[in-house]
Amino acid sequence: MKDWMEGLQTAVVVMVLLRVFSGLAELTVAGLILKFNNVEKALVLNAILAVTGPAVLILSVTIGVYVLADSLSFWKIALIFTGVLLILIGVKS
């Protein structure tokens, strides 16, 4: 088991852990919504997820870009972050 872990980059592990956290948060909130069985509480819980989702996206993209920064030009980095910004604007409505 240790052999395949040796080849993993730290940044990849952190990005995976962020996604696992995000998935667990989604599942936890789904369970809480079922438990409370209340639309008002469901909306509050969904609002919390609306913050965590984009935060995980921004963090994981930032980590990836930071690791690749030496091999990317300024314009490519700017395009990546512009793309992320456009995604966030697009899903806001």
Side-chain angles (χ1 to χ4, degrees):
M1 181 170 169
K2 199 172 188 181
D3 292 336
W4 69 270
M5 288 184 66
E6 289 177 15
L8 290 177
Q9 295 180 4
T10 304
V12 171
V13 172
V14 172
M15 292 168 81
V16 166
L17 290 175
L18 283 169
R19 287 293 165 191
V20 168
F21 163 75
S22 179
L24 288 174
E26 294 274 349
L27 290 171
T28 301
V29 167
L32 289 172
I33 289 171
L34 277 174
K35 178 184 175 187
F36 292 134
N37 192 27
N38 181 300
V39 174
E40 290 175 10
K41 290 181 182 178
L43 284 173
V44 170
L45 291 168
N46 277 315
I48 293 168
L49 284 180
V51 172
T52 59
V56 169
L57 172 68
I58 291 168
L59 277 172
S60 46
V61 168
T62 302
I63 291 166
V65 170
Y66 177 77
V67 170
L68 296 176
D70 290 341
S71 62
L72 295 174
S73 70
F74 170 78
W75 294 111
K76 286 186 179 181
I77 293 172
L79 282 174
I80 291 169
F81 282 110
T82 301
V84 171
L85 180 66
L86 288 172
I87 289 169
L88 294 173
I89 291 169
V91 298
K92 185 180 177 187
S93 60

